[in-house]
Amino acid sequence: MNYRVQPVPQVILDDVRGAQKMLSGVSRVTAMEGSRHLSSLVGAPVHLKCENLQRTGSFKLRGAYVRIAGLRPEQRAAGVVAASAGNHAQGVALASSLLGVRSTVFMPVGAPLPKVAATREYGAEVRLEGQVVDETLAAAQEYADRTGAVFIHPFDHRDIIAGQGTVGLEILEQCPEVRTILVGVGGGGLAAGIAVAVKALRPDVKVIGVQAAGAAAYPPSLQVGHPVSIDRPVTMADGIKVGRPGDVPFAIIGELLDDVRTVSEDALSSALLLCLERAKLVVEPAGCAPVAALLSEPERYAGGPVVAVLSGGNVDPLLLQRILRHGMAAAGRYLSLRLRVADAPGALAGLLGVLSTVDANVLDVSHVRTDPRLGLTEVEVELHLETKGPEHCKEVARTLHGAGYRVMG
């Protein structure tokens, strides 16, 4: 990318190596799994770095432990405080427990219950404050100012970046032939840490960040050479839903990353579905961003072995259900139709009979007879169908048209 943002903070390879020693016996060396499906799509070997299988379900433990372990005794005695909707909360809670430090974690009022429960089980005192993360951050900062507790930022600190950079060292050890590393980017701590480690040892390896298109603060920030905020970031990938890059990781990313790509919500949901079905891995939307990039532009990464970092697997079951349905629709395996049929006995059965001839599985039927837009002799039927892909969807539509049905949408 070579934007040459100056000055670059002093996070160097020795910092990352020191963090790796500190994390020995604390964090897992997570698995590197090959993906036959993605490899065939890209035309080059694709490997998945499974940080979704890390303790607490994400890479966040690495940076949180290094940051808290580096506190002076009097700072540890004052305790630590953090604000997060999920992964950072759990990382700080477990790291604090392992180090014998009292932790308080502020979470939004609407945070998923499984994440709140897990944070408490890891040993933190959880306080629910604010409707959005910005309000939660303000509450945590006020608590730090009032009590003297040390605020543990999720990405904007050199110790955090050094800890996350240990993922890069593991990638080079597990896949020494790697040519491209794809990593999701929110505030930028993970991407910055990986870039520091990888570029110091293998400057020929491309490190490419991936952001959700609805929360992509890095491209405009890099264009102007300093972090800028975007209003109301919107994405299902809450782990990378950050409105402003961190100052420390921004300087590193501007100096060392080769590119930052963006992906759509459809690509994210399709990537989550692929990880679940093909790799048998539960990955949250933010963790799927690198896979979404591969699905969106596979030809771009054909030049050699690719490692996609699956950064986390903490997804609320209710959200997972919605995303899977969205992913099936994006993949052409879930089709919704509205059409009108005669208000006569047997009309609905006849429609379902037509669908049976093309092997479309009916998941749900809604039958409306009282809408004022309807004629006196017709009813509206809304169907949700399970299909086999885009071509099957087209076949279903052609068959319905051929049988005389008018599809409204």
Side-chain angles (χ1 to χ4, degrees), residues 36 60 69 158 241 250 297 315:
R36 183 183 304 174
K60 290 288 190 177
R158 63 189 307 273
K241 186 180 176 181
F250 176 80
E297 298 178 291
V315 57

Side-chain angles (χ1 to χ4, degrees), residues 189-210:
L190 177 61
I194 289 175
V196 167
V198 170
K199 291 295 186 177
L201 295 169
R202 288 280 305 281
D204 60 302
V205 174
K206 291 183 178 180
V207 181
I208 297 176
V210 185

Side-chain angles (χ1 to χ4, degrees), residues 131-256:
Q131 298 299 319
V132 295
V133 174
D134 285 346
E135 295 174 358
T136 306
L137 283 166
Q141 189 62 63
E142 187 278 331
Y143 178 89
D145 294 340
R146 176 166 47 84
T147 65
V150 179
F151 181 68
I152 307 299
H153 198 281
F155 49 81
D156 207 11
H157 193 279
R158 63 189 307 273
D159 289 345
I160 295 286
I161 293 170
Q164 320 305 28
T166 59
V167 176
L169 294 180
E170 290 178 15
I171 289 172
L172 294 183
E173 292 165 3
Q174 294 170 310
C175 186
E177 69 277 14
V178 62
R179 297 301 302 275
T180 303
I181 297 172
L182 291 167
V183 54
V185 178
L190 177 61
I194 289 175
V196 167
V198 170
K199 291 295 186 177
L201 295 169
R202 288 280 305 281
D204 60 302
V205 174
K206 291 183 178 180
V207 181
I208 297 176
V210 185
Q211 291 206 289
Y218 264 90
S221 297
L222 291 166
Q223 287 293 333
V224 299
H226 59 82
V228 297
S229 299
I230 58 172
D231 294 330
R232 298 177 182 173
V234 178
T235 177
M236 70 176 74
D238 58 348
I240 53 174
K241 186 180 176 181
V242 178
R244 182 186 184 278
D247 293 330
V248 180
F250 176 80
I252 297 171
I253 285 173
E255 178 73 12
L256 297 180

Side-chain angles (χ1 to χ4, degrees), residues 18 185 194 291 295 314 337 352 355 376 387:
V185 178
I194 289 175
V291 176
L295 293 177
N314 292 317
L337 296 171
L352 297 179
L355 292 172
L376 291 175
T387 51

